[in-house]
Amino acid sequence: MRIAVARETLAGEARVALVPELVRKLTAVGYEVAVQPGAVRPALFSDEAYAAAGAVLDENAFDQAVVVVSVQPLPEEVVAGLTAGSSTVSFFPPTARTADVVIRRDRGLTTFGMEFVPRISRAQPMDALSSQSLVAGYRAAVVTAGRLRQFFPLNMTSAGTIPPAQVVVLGAGVAGLQAIATCRRLGAIVKGYDVRAAAAEEIRSMGATAIELELPTLEGAGGYAREMSEERAARQRELLTPYIAAADALITTAAVPGRQAPLLVTTEMVEQMKPGSVVIDLAAETGGNVEGAVAGAVVQVGGAQIWGASNVPSQMPGPASKLYAQNLVNLVTLMTHEGELSPDFEDEIITGACVTHGGQVLHEPTRLALEGDDQ
Ligand code: NAD
């Protein structure tokens, strides 16, 4: 039974789906691990490291593979060549990939999307959204510290005292809390805000001040935030303006599942920041929390620079790959019984993560988009 590790050819994707140290976890449950030679960027892991860990280096790694693992979805030409009935595991934004979903459905492929693993406690070891958000949150904080031409910590010297940097973090989920914790460790004074009621205590537990606005909290299903009304959004922006104007740096991480990122900060608000201020928008790829942010670019607004995030976990490919690979190995292991890949479709983790199986589209929003609601 072969598991193949796919070659990632997308620009900007430096992560790998399997790190050598985890190869043995898969061989131990009965897989032959096949890696394409040169599949993995030499800077990260060499072919020799995979071979030494027990993997097979094979130009035709996908031939006879029962499952192919990758970080990004496989290119369509690769999908077209997969053995009928085989499975893939990767991140898989399906609403943006309807043509791909149709090919997969019609070829009877089983597709698992790591972002759909339910956020329940039993699934935490497979929660790649959390592991990659942790990396992104850390990276956001160190990019902020690097771009800000100031000390983060308080410096008291015989020549005088330099006060610590003031950082505001909007959105205190996994990435936001990690950004807060990292900024605190570097010595900045941090204030955080989130629409969820539970977040205030979590912000304080990281050593930051929770910004309390006179607005109702917005708790949605599954512990996530709900979308704001335009009226509330405008009021939130108004109430946050003085906090942002007083900050040296702003990090935004707000998201609402299945929606465009909420606009939290307007150009007018950024223009009120001090010259030299730094704004990091971790939501830039999904619509942006900050007006004018461009994913993968730095934009100057007034005296501030706005850094728009683009595949931030790939900027720390070593730890991001190790955590992602561990999530993936845990999911594959859950689906493996007595040396066979045999997912239990009664298990909510498996059904939750599954996009296509047995000629059907199981991911409901995608099925509705493709087939309408007449089923
Ligand atoms: P996310 O990436 O969907 O959103 C990031 C944050 O943005 C959230 O905290 C959200 O409340 C916040 N936000 C949304 N709209 C906002 C607005 N208008 N203004 C300010 N903030 C706004 O969230 P996430 O990081 O994936 O996690 C969200 C929740 O899920 C958290 O409660 C987290 O603890 C929980 N979680 C649970 C598990 C688990 O049990 N396995 C795993 C991971 C996360």
Side-chain angles (χ1 to χ4, degrees), residues 245 250 331 342 363 367:
L250 168 68
L331 183 62
S342 54
H363 182 254
R367 193 191 67 71

Side-chain angles (χ1 to χ4, degrees), residues 150 166-168 170 191 211 237-250 265-279 304:
Q150 286 188 44
Q166 306 271 344
V167 181
V168 167
L170 301 181
K191 294 188 172 79
I211 297 174
R237 290 195 285 266
E238 190 186 329
L239 293 172
L240 283 173
T241 296
Y243 291 96
I244 292 168
D248 300 301
L250 168 68
V265 181
T266 59
T267 299
E268 209 182 355
M269 290 161 81
V270 176
E271 281 169 350
Q272 292 186 39
M273 295 180 80
K274 293 169 237 174
S277 299
V278 172
V279 178

Side-chain angles (χ1 to χ4, degrees), residues 119 124 127 130 172-174 194-196 223 225 228 236 253-255 264:
R119 309 297 279 281
Q124 276 178 8
D127 185 350
S130 286
V174 181
D194 196 291
V195 289
R196 289 179 298 108
M228 299 185 282
Q236 179 176 309
T253 74
L264 307 186

Side-chain angles (χ1 to χ4, degrees), residues 1-5 23-35 54-56 58 61-69 83 85-87 329 331-343:
M1 185 178 53
R2 170 175 278 200
I3 185 165
V5 182
V23 167
R24 285 203 202 285
K25 295 235 179 199
L26 291 170
T27 52
V29 293
Y31 288 99
E32 174 195 54
V33 178
V35 180
V56 177
D58 184 351
F62 302 150
D63 290 359
Q64 280 103 45
V66 296
V67 53
V68 181
V69 298
T83 314
S86 60
S87 300
V329 165
L331 183 62
V332 170
T333 305
L334 178 76
M335 300 194 286
T336 308
H337 305 280
E338 295 174 1
E340 294 294 324
L341 180 75
S342 54

